[in-house]
Amino acid sequence: MIPQDRLRNFSIIAHIDHGKSTLADRLLELTHTIDARQMTSQVLDSMDLEREKGITIKARAVRLEYTSSRDGLVYGLNLIDTPGHVDFSYEVSRSLQACEGAILVVDASQGIEAQTLANVHLALREGLTIVPVLNKIDLPSAQPELVLEELENVLAIPREEVILASAKEGTGVPDILEAIVARIPAPRGNPKDRLQGLIFDSHYDPYKGVVVYVRLAAGTLHEHEEVRLMASGAESEILELGVFRPGLVPVRSLSAGEVGYVATGLKSVRDAQVGDTITSAGRPAAEPVPGYQEAKSLVFAGLYPLSGEDYPLLRDALEKLHLNDASFTYKAESSVALGFGFRCGFLGLLHMEIVQERLEREFGLDLIASAPSVEYQVVLTHGRGTVAVDNPSRLPAANDIEEIQEPWVKLSVVTPASYIGPLMELSTNRRGAFQDLEYLDPQRVLMRFHMPLAELIVDYYDQLKSRTAGYASMDYEEAGYRPANLVKVDIMVNGEPVDALSLIVHRERAQSTGRVLVEALRKLIPRQMFEVPIQAAIGSNVIARETVRALRKNVLAKCYGGDITRKRKLLEKQKEGKQRMKRVGSVEIPQEAFLAILRMGEG
C-alpha cells in the first residue's frame, strides 16, 4: 500500500480537442497501467457515443503507479479525465473537487480558447495547483513562442513553468509525470479519523447494485464493512471495494486521500446521490463532506415514448441514467398531442442530444422530443407572486401576466480578429448586447456579450462555427433574469391547439417565426380527405396561416354526358361528406413536425 504522502490526485483540463484524452493515453502507457496489447486510442472514452463524436462526455478516473526518477520511490497517481465541451462543465467542476492539482493542456497551434479560460478559473476557485502543458508542438502550424506569451499575459503563468509536449508522439510526457510528483501536493486527511468519503460519480450494475465512485476525505474503508450514505440514510454491507486501472480492480482497503469505487449492493438508485457522503454505519462521521452545488438546468424539453406502453420503461431508464449523470432533471408530465412523458432539464442542447441518444441506445427506447425551451419567471398581476415556467403550454393567460422575465448569459467568444464583423452581426441579431473586446495577441480577440439564453440555445454555436470557418470558440455563464416583451405563439392544426408545438418568442419576431413554422408544417403534415388549416396565433389573434389541400376523389368519372344537375348533385354530396369528415376527422402529426421547430434557425 502506498503511503498518503506519495499519493497525488489530479485532473486534466483543457478546451475541447486540445489533446486531453491522448495525453491520458500516454500517461497510461508510460506507467504500464494498461498492457500494450489492450491499448487503443482514447482508451478512457469508453462510451460508443464518445468514440463516434470524438469528445469526452463522462469524467473517468484511473489509478496509475509511477516510479519517480528523482528519488526512486513509487507514487500513486489518481487521474480524472474531464470533458471539454461547455455543456459538460458540471462534470469538470465535480472532478476538480476530488483533486489537489490540474494539468492545464493548451494547443500550441490554437492557443488559449474560451473553455481554457473557464476551466482555469474553475480550478483556481477550487484552490488547485496548476501544471501548464503546451501540447501538439510537433504540428507544422504550432506557434509555441506566441502561445507562451499568451499564457504569461492572459493567465499570468510564467513561461519557465510550462512543459512543452506532444501527447501524440510522447514528447515531454516523462517531464509531466515528474512535475505531478514535484508540484502537486499530497492529499490531506487523517486515515485514523472517522470515515468520510465524497461520492463524485456512480453507475448501476445489475449484479452489484449501485456502484459509487468515492474520494476519501478521512478515515479508512475496509471490504465487507457496513456503510451509511448520510443524505439518504441508506445502509448496506460493501460487496466489493476497489480502484480503477482503468477497469475495476478489487482491493482490501482504501484510506484517506485515495480514489476508488464501492459496490454498495443497493437496488434503488435514489439511495446514492452524487455529492453525498459515505461513512461507517458503526462509527459514523459527525457531519458530511461539503457536497456539490446542484447543477442548474438551462434548457428544458419534453421526452415522450413513441408508444404509450413504453412509459414505465422510460421512467426506469431515466432513473438509472440520472444516477450516472446527475446534471439532468426530470418530472412526469402529459401532453394532449403526445400523451404521457417527462419534462427534462439539461445543461445545453448537446447535453440534451446526448441524453436522448443514450436513452435510445442503452435502453432501446423510441422517443419524441418536444421543442427546447428555457425557464421564464412570470410575475403575476395583483401581487400574486412569481411562477417559474419551463413549458410554453403552461404559460398563464395574458390578462394574469404583469411581466415575463427571461434568463440572460454572459457570453465569451475567442475568435481570429478577421471575423469580428460577422460575429458582431450574429450576436446583435440575436438581441445580444456587446460589452467589450480584448486582444489576446495580434491575431486573436476575446469578445464579450450579454445575450438572452433562448437566443443562444437554438443554433448559435453552429452559426458561430460556420461564420468563422470553425476557428471561434465560446463559453457562457448565467447572468440573471431581465424583463422582456415576450408572447406565446400557439400552433393550431385543424382548429385544435397542439400544445407540444407552442413556443415563447419576442413579440417583434412572433409573426416571422409563426410564418416559418406553419410553412414547415404544411410540407410535413400528410394530406387528408379534407382540407386542414394550420394556424399560428397569439391568443385569439391569428398571425399566420397555411392550408393542406384535401385529397379529392373524382366522383364525376362515370358521368358521361346527361343533365348537368346530376353532376352538381354528386359534387354537393362530396362537399357535405368532406365537411362532416372535417368535424370528426383527426390529423396525425408526424415526428418530423416537432423537429421542424429545432431546425427553424437553420433556414
Side-chain angles (χ1 to χ4, degrees):
M1 193 168 157
I2 296 169
Q4 188 180 359
D5 64 341
R6 295 212 302 270
L7 290 176
R8 302 287 184 268
N9 298 321
F10 68 98
S11 265
I12 303 181
I13 55 173
H15 185 77
I16 191 167
D17 248 2
H18 278 204
K20 290 180 303 297
S21 299
T22 310
L23 178 58
D25 289 352
R26 292 298 83 76
L27 295 174
L28 290 172
E29 256 178 26
L30 258 179
T31 54
H32 308 293
T33 305
I34 286 189
D35 195 291
R37 289 172 301 173
Q38 297 171 307
M39 196 68 205
T40 56
S41 63
Q42 273 87 40
V43 71
L44 293 183
D45 292 347
S46 55
M47 269 163 55
D48 290 344
L49 268 175
E50 292 180 313
R51 293 189 166 280
E52 280 172 30
K53 292 181 182 292
I55 57 172
T56 304
I57 293 166
K58 284 295 297 171
R60 288 287 309 275
V62 62
R63 170 77 169 265
L64 320 172
E65 286 187 5
Y66 171 65
T67 308
S68 172
S69 58
R70 197 181 46 158
D71 53 19
L73 296 173
V74 178
Y75 288 81
L77 313 179
N78 290 308
L79 153 66
I80 299 173
D81 183 29
T82 60
H85 196 281
V86 60
D87 280 16
F88 303 112
S89 54
Y90 180 66
E91 284 278 330
V92 180
S93 68
R94 284 204 337 230
S95 305
L96 294 181
Q97 268 186 270
C99 299
E100 280 78 37
I103 297 178
L104 170 68
V105 180
V106 180
D107 189 320
S109 61
Q110 293 180 349
I112 292 172
E113 298 276 13
Q115 274 299 106
T116 317
L117 292 169
N119 286 338
V120 169
H121 293 315
L122 211 56
L124 291 174
R125 214 176 301 152
E126 295 295 337
L128 302 192
T129 302
I130 289 177
V131 177
V133 172
L134 194 57
N135 191 24
K136 304 191 186 182
I137 56 166
D138 57 309
L139 289 181
S141 57
Q143 298 172 298
E145 276 307 310
L146 196 68
V147 180
L148 284 169
E149 205 173 298
E150 248 182 49
L151 286 168
E152 270 192 322
N153 297 340
V154 181
L155 297 173
I157 294 172
R159 61 173 59 216
E160 51 275 9
E161 283 184 18
V162 182
I163 299 165
L164 301 182
S166 163
K168 190 177 173 186
E169 294 185 347
T171 314
V173 180
D175 299 339
I176 296 171
L177 284 164
E178 283 299 328
I180 292 166
V181 168
R183 299 187 204 172
I184 294 175
R188 291 185 294 276
N190 189 345
K192 293 187 173 65
D193 281 354
R194 290 176 181 243
L195 178 68
Q196 283 180 310
L198 177 69
I199 299 174
F200 66 89
D201 208 349
S202 52
H203 75 266
Y204 185 81
D205 185 288
Y207 303 107
K208 299 173 188 170
V210 177
V211 178
V212 294
Y213 301 3
V214 294
R215 152 71 200 272
L216 292 192
T220 304
L221 190 57
H222 301 281
E223 60 180 348
H224 306 304
E225 190 176 343
E226 283 272 335
V227 291
R228 176 186 299 164
L229 297 168
M230 293 183 85
S232 64
E235 292 189 8
S236 78
E237 184 187 331
I238 295 173
L239 298 182
E240 189 178 294
L241 185 64
V243 293
F244 309 97
R245 292 187 59 89
L248 308 183
V249 177
V251 295
R252 291 281 178 86
S253 65
L254 288 173
S255 65
E258 291 196 280
V259 174
Y261 70 90
V262 178
T264 60
L266 294 168
K267 291 295 172 222
S268 170
V269 293
R270 287 196 184 89
D271 291 338
Q273 296 293 331
V274 167
D276 198 352
T277 298
I278 193 166
T279 188
S280 170
R283 192 168 164 257
E287 53 186 43
V289 181
Y292 301 111
Q293 276 189 316
E294 252 183 64
K296 190 173 186 315
S297 299
L298 297 177
V299 177
F300 296 84
L303 289 181
Y304 298 87
L306 216 51
S307 157
E309 297 154 16
D310 288 344
Y311 177 77
L313 297 175
L314 176 58
R315 186 181 55 224
D316 293 347
L318 283 168
E319 264 195 17
K320 285 176 183 162
L321 194 58
H322 185 257
L323 179 75
N324 189 242
D325 180 359
S327 55
F328 82 90
T329 57
Y330 65 96
K331 61 178 187 220
E333 72 163 7
S334 62
S335 152
V336 179
L338 299 172
F340 291 101
F342 291 89
R343 191 80 189 163
C344 300
F346 308 95
L347 301 179
L349 275 191
L350 178 68
H351 187 213
M352 172 183 159
E353 184 191 326
I354 296 292
V355 168
Q356 192 180 344
E357 278 202 44
R358 285 187 72 183
L359 287 169
E360 289 177 348
R361 287 184 187 200
E362 294 172 28
F363 301 95
L365 294 164
D366 288 322
L367 301 174
I368 290 181
S370 69
S373 166
V374 296
E375 186 175 78
Y376 297 94
Q377 296 291 337
V378 180
V379 181
L380 301 172
T381 51
H382 311 302
R384 285 178 294 156
T386 304
V387 292
V389 175
D390 60 31
N391 186 343
S393 62
R394 302 263 188 280
L395 193 72
N399 52 0
D400 289 334
I401 298 172
E402 188 169 300
E403 181 181 80
I404 302 177
Q405 298 175 352
E406 63 176 342
W408 280 60
V409 292
K410 291 176 187 168
L411 175 70
S412 306
V413 178
V414 174
T415 175
S418 53
Y419 297 112
I420 291 174
L423 287 188
M424 199 71 87
E425 184 197 1
L426 171 67
S427 304
T428 49
N429 282 350
R430 300 295 183 97
R431 297 192 283 133
F434 174 68
Q435 297 301 303
D436 62 17
L437 185 145
E438 181 187 325
Y439 274 84
L440 299 176
D441 61 45
Q443 280 85 43
R444 293 162 73 247
V445 295
L446 169 64
M447 299 169 76
R448 293 188 184 92
F449 298 92
H450 283 183
M451 183 182 283
L453 178 62
E455 299 285 348
L456 184 81
I457 63 167
V458 179
D459 70 333
Y460 182 88
Y461 185 70
D462 296 343
Q463 289 288 333
L464 175 93
K465 286 293 184 189
S466 65
R467 292 191 189 202
T468 61
Y471 284 113
S473 63
M474 63 171 247
D475 183 55
Y476 59 86
E477 58 179 282
E478 292 170 72
Y481 281 81
R482 297 187 192 181
N485 187 6
L486 302 169
V487 290
K488 181 173 104 171
V489 175
D490 284 312
I491 300 297
M492 294 187 287
V493 176
N494 201 22
E496 293 288 317
V498 182
D499 56 355
L501 291 177
S502 300
L503 66 163
I504 295 172
V505 294
H506 198 271
R507 190 178 290 275
E508 287 174 9
R509 303 248 179 105
Q511 192 153 4
S512 58
T513 304
R515 180 149 303 288
V516 170
L517 201 49
V518 294
E519 278 176 15
L521 289 175
R522 180 179 62 79
K523 294 170 189 165
L524 292 166
I525 291 176
R527 289 174 72 187
Q528 313 288 321
M529 295 303 290
F530 52 91
E531 201 173 73
V532 179
I534 304 165
Q535 296 161 308
I538 300 172
S540 57
N541 178 24
V542 175
I543 54 171
R545 173 184 168 131
E546 288 285 338
T547 306
V548 179
R549 296 281 165 220
L551 287 167
R552 190 173 170 200
K553 184 182 173 186
N554 185 2
V555 290
L556 307 179
K558 293 179 183 175
C559 282
Y560 307 112
D563 189 359
I564 189 72
T565 53
R566 279 185 66 210
K567 292 183 181 178
R568 283 211 185 113
K569 207 181 282 180
L570 284 168
L571 289 170
E572 285 296 324
K573 200 173 173 185
Q574 185 185 37
K575 194 175 174 185
E576 277 172 31
K578 286 207 180 290
Q579 280 172 342
R580 193 164 61 249
M581 281 171 88
K582 190 171 180 176
R583 281 199 301 274
V584 299
S586 65
V587 182
E588 281 281 308
I589 300 172
Q591 158 81 351
E592 287 77 34
F594 300 102
L595 296 177
I597 296 186
L598 288 172
R599 298 202 189 109
M600 252 175 28
E602 292 170 23

